[in-house]
Amino acid sequence: FVGLYSATGTQIWKNQLGYNELPTCVCILNPYTINGTSMQGQVVLGTDNSGGNVNTPYAFVISGGLKNVSGNGTSSQNTPLIGVPRTVSGADIDPDDAPDVTTSGNAPAAFTGSSLGFIQQVKYQANGPQVGTPLMLSFVPVSIAIADIDGDGVKDICAACNSIPSEIPASTRPVACFSRGSISPASGVFTMSPPTGISVGQPVQGKAVALVQRNGGFSLAVASTDGVNDSVDVIELNTFANGSLSIGNQTQISTGGNVIGLHTLLDHGTQKFAAIRNVTGFTSSAVIESTGYVELVYGDFDGSGIVDSGDVGYMLLSYGEAGITDLDGSGATDSGDIGILFLLFN
């Protein structure tokens, strides 16, 4: 089933899924207006309809899809996809102000041959969801991040690359990729360019991505694993008028392993990101790493480049609150965090 809950954990409604229909990911569409018609918000979840095996014969017919449940939980609609979605993102990808959902995940080998993954858009129109042409990939995009990276008014997509064939050399193996979005002048349809690989020069598999705005552009945070150890690389992205991409400075951040996601957040008007990792397996014991914040020295809350008295003042203003000043993860900024901050003084 899929359920909607209040901020305090109270169940608002519960919607039963169909037979052999397993939820894989979820996003929310806020209320919107199409051609003057007001539409209520929706819960959109990816579903695996293949019985857990997308490579069975004819699995491509029933492998996966999107299920839209109305904001009040009274109605739902299914939209078939090319494969089983691993992630869904509700972001308007073009300038029409109508909601879009971008999906990515596993492509069934029984149908796609050598393709392992896909990225596919679903546009929401007055007459219902409209499925776009999928971008087929030689890897599985397990996480996506969407933003207008090149400033042309159309969203672009970055994805974490997983299940990359081992024969690709480590020095060029893409841990992430960039696909430029554009609008066809003839049809007005959103299209994606073939992916440009982004490598960190190591034989690793991508796990998660997040895009973070910086002065003059974007940085891509990508979590990866070599099968034993996890790390997060922060990579500056530089784009050009012709749609090409170049890689700028690259910084590696230690995470302690078991990264399960990266999340962009806004802190006092500055975009940052946090690394989320599991500490005891797939339980509720996931933690957000304050060391995951990009372009800040650990403990440098005011962005001066060093840890100094200004950061002490910042911490005192946040005393008793959770957030980036809660360095020991106790749930509130307190004397323990002040002790840690003094150890970081330059």
Side-chain angles (χ1 to χ4, degrees):
F1 71 92
V2 57
L4 184 67
Y5 296 82
S6 70
T8 59
T10 302
Q11 181 178 289
I12 299 173
W13 52 257
K14 185 166 97 171
N15 189 291
Q16 184 67 44
L17 299 181
Y19 174 74
N20 218 22
E21 190 177 43
L22 302 175
T24 59
C25 45
V26 66
C27 70
I28 300 293
L29 293 183
N30 293 323
Y32 54 95
T33 300
I34 297 181
N35 298 329
T37 301
S38 297
M39 311 291 287
Q40 65 173 301
Q42 299 182 55
V43 177
V44 182
L45 63 149
T47 58
D48 179 352
N49 310 324
S50 66
N53 184 3
V54 298
N55 294 322
T56 55
Y58 310 111
F60 65 91
V61 179
I62 57 170
S63 63
L66 288 184
K67 189 180 191 73
N68 293 73
V69 184
S70 60
N72 57 17
T74 60
S75 62
S76 64
Q77 182 177 12
N78 292 318
T79 303
L81 296 173
I82 191 69
V84 176
R86 296 279 296 271
T87 184
V88 290
S89 175
D92 187 14
I93 57 174
D94 49 29
D96 65 357
D97 295 326
D100 310 299
V101 170
T102 300
T103 71
S104 68
N106 300 74
F111 177 54
T112 58
S114 60
S115 295
L116 298 176
F118 72 95
I119 300 176
Q120 188 171 23
Q121 278 78 34
V122 178
K123 294 187 62 61
Y124 287 82
Q125 306 291 344
N127 59 346
Q130 307 295 315
V131 181
T133 301
L135 176 66
M136 306 309 297
L137 304 166
S138 59
F139 58 86
V140 178
V142 293
S143 171
I144 55 176
I146 301 173
D148 181 11
I149 297 174
D150 55 8
D152 65 352
V154 182
K155 296 294 194 299
D156 309 298
I157 300 171
C158 287
C161 305
N162 201 279
S163 302
I164 307 166
S166 58
E167 59 266 22
I168 298 179
S171 59
T172 59
R173 186 175 301 176
V175 69
C177 70
F178 165 80
S179 177
R180 181 174 184 263
S182 60
I183 303 296
S184 168
S187 64
V189 173
F190 176 85
T191 59
M192 296 170 284
S193 70
T196 298
I198 299 172
S199 173
V200 293
Q202 300 176 36
V204 293
Q205 302 281 347
K207 300 182 72 175
V209 290
L211 281 165
V212 186
Q213 286 183 313
R214 57 180 173 82
N215 291 335
F218 283 86
S219 290
L220 176 69
V222 54
S224 62
T225 182
D226 60 8
V228 178
N229 300 306
D230 291 357
S231 64
V232 176
D233 288 271
V234 183
I235 304 167
E236 290 184 2
L237 303 180
N238 301 308
T239 57
F240 302 97
N242 63 0
S244 62
L245 178 81
S246 71
I247 302 303
N249 294 329
Q250 180 177 320
T251 303
Q252 189 172 86
I253 299 172
S254 175
T255 65
N258 298 318
V259 176
I260 59 175
L262 299 174
H263 185 69
T264 303
L265 51 88
L266 192 66
D267 177 59
H268 296 274
T270 301
Q271 265 204 343
K272 304 172 182 176
F273 79 91
I276 305 167
R277 64 185 180 90
N278 250 326
V279 291
T280 58
F282 285 97
T283 69
S284 58
S285 301
V287 296
I288 296 178
E289 295 273 302
S290 59
T291 52
Y293 295 123
V294 70
E295 295 183 345
L296 285 182
V297 176
Y298 185 49
D300 177 26
F301 309 121
D302 60 5
S304 66
I306 60 173
V307 179
D308 55 18
S309 59
D311 303 301
V312 176
Y314 191 109
M315 176 174 279
L316 292 176
L317 289 174
S318 303
Y319 202 84
E321 301 176 1
I324 62 171
T325 52
D326 177 23
L327 298 178
D328 60 6
S330 65
T333 302
D334 52 24
S335 59
D337 303 302
I338 293 178
I340 293 174
L341 188 66
F342 278 119
L343 292 175
L344 299 173
F345 255 49
N346 286 271

